[in-house]
Amino acid sequence: PRESNSSCCSLRFSLCFVIHKRKFWGQENLIPITHPHFKNLNLFWDKIMIKLFGRVSLFRFFFSSSACVYNEDRQLETDEESCSLKEEDAWPANPQELYGLEKLYCEQMSARYEKDFGMIARCGRFHNIYGPFGTWNGGREKAPAAFSRKAAVASDVFEMWGDGLQTRSFCFIDDCVEGVLRIMSSDITEPLNLGSDEMISMNNLAKLCLSFDAKKDVENRTHKGTCWRSWQNSDNTLIKEKLVGHRVLHLTEGMRKTYD
């Protein structure tokens, strides 16, 4: 609405930090139904935020990008070392669907506004952020919350999408917030991975969640569904080099907090 844009314009000169995080996303089985609408909304807000703050001498502008920007060919590797995604693997571009393309476009737009108009832009590529108090049902929850819910109510069967062999790494919310603030306060201009390099398969994530209530006899049952990325892990070499002391919580500890 015009009134909202006017309010933003009147406030923008007093801000020091702008963290652009607003995104619409959904569980993988819902994306084919809704994703054109989501992508239009995402790109609309990206362009509004960059245009609104791009020509103002703000202290910092943070764009929350995603692991979806990475070349999909690199996510078909089957060994742990090869499927760890480095920042340089975003090019040549072949991102995941429109969502990854939108993120990659806005990374470039932020960098361009920094070069042309002096906006101080910072960027982190989020790798599956999770933790307590997140969405846990309704179809837009991420795997850690969904698996925690399923494990809590499972009596004899635990159901999941895919074959259970696909891998991911997950970053606890506290580590993500600390990483965002440290990147914002740094002089690092290139995008950085903001995630964990502790990779786990979905079968093992299910076993981990079930172990919290000692449910050893529950059967994992997989269902064929949409699953673009077979293998994905964050390579944290660059962020450890740039942000000395950067650490992430062990997955078992983070999932225990999420489950409880």
Side-chain angles (χ1 to χ4, degrees), residues 2 47 61 68 84 89 127 136 153 185 200 214 245-246 254:
R2 182 173 299 176
K47 291 190 293 185
F61 179 93
C68 295
S84 293
D89 292 329
H127 286 251
W136 57 274
V153 301
S185 301
I200 189 171
H246 176 75

Side-chain angles (χ1 to χ4, degrees), residues 8-21:
C8 288
C9 289
S10 64
L11 289 173
R12 62 183 179 175
F13 295 103
S14 63
L15 298 174
C16 292
F17 278 15
V18 174
I19 301 177
H20 179 31
K21 179 65 180 72

Side-chain angles (χ1 to χ4, degrees), residues 16-150:
C16 292
F17 278 15
V18 174
I19 301 177
H20 179 31
K21 179 65 180 72
R22 181 170 182 162
K23 286 293 154 192
F24 295 92
W25 195 227
Q27 199 175 44
E28 289 190 339
N29 61 305
L30 297 179
I31 292 169
I33 302 173
T34 57
H35 93 331
H37 178 62
F38 281 170
K39 303 313 161 284
N40 281 333
L41 288 174
N42 285 343
L43 194 56
F44 169 79
W45 280 108
D46 290 336
K47 291 190 293 185
I48 286 291
M49 292 295 287
I50 293 173
K51 182 178 180 181
L52 188 61
F53 296 109
R55 299 186 182 219
V56 182
S57 298
L58 291 175
F59 184 59
R60 292 288 190 272
F61 179 93
F62 182 88
F63 178 69
S64 58
S65 189
S66 167
C68 295
V69 303
Y70 286 112
N71 191 306
E72 284 199 283
D73 294 338
R74 288 284 290 109
Q75 301 179 53
L76 300 176
E77 304 289 348
T78 56
D79 64 273
E80 184 171 350
E81 183 177 351
S82 296
C83 67
S84 293
L85 301 170
K86 299 180 180 180
E87 286 78 0
E88 63 197 47
D89 292 329
W91 302 95
N94 182 27
Q96 179 196 334
E97 295 271 323
L98 291 176
Y99 184 77
L101 184 61
E102 169 239 328
K103 289 288 194 178
L104 200 57
Y105 164 81
C106 292
E107 284 187 14
Q108 295 300 299
M109 283 296 292
S110 299
R112 193 69 208 185
Y113 265 76
E114 181 170 34
K115 181 177 181 179
D116 291 352
F117 302 114
M119 178 179 75
I120 303 177
R122 299 291 180 263
C123 178
R125 291 174 178 162
F126 291 2
H127 286 251
N128 303 310
I129 312 305
Y130 77 101
F133 308 113
T135 301
W136 57 274
N137 65 355
R140 293 193 174 90
E141 63 275 21
K142 293 188 177 181
F147 278 36
S148 294
R149 183 196 74 242
K150 291 177 181 182

Side-chain angles (χ1 to χ4, degrees), residues 226-242:
T226 302
C227 186
W228 289 296
R229 296 159 294 175
S230 295
W231 308 84
Q232 187 192 87
N233 191 32
S234 175
D235 187 305
N236 285 358
T237 302
L238 187 59
I239 193 171
K240 289 177 180 178
E241 174 188 325
K242 299 286 187 178

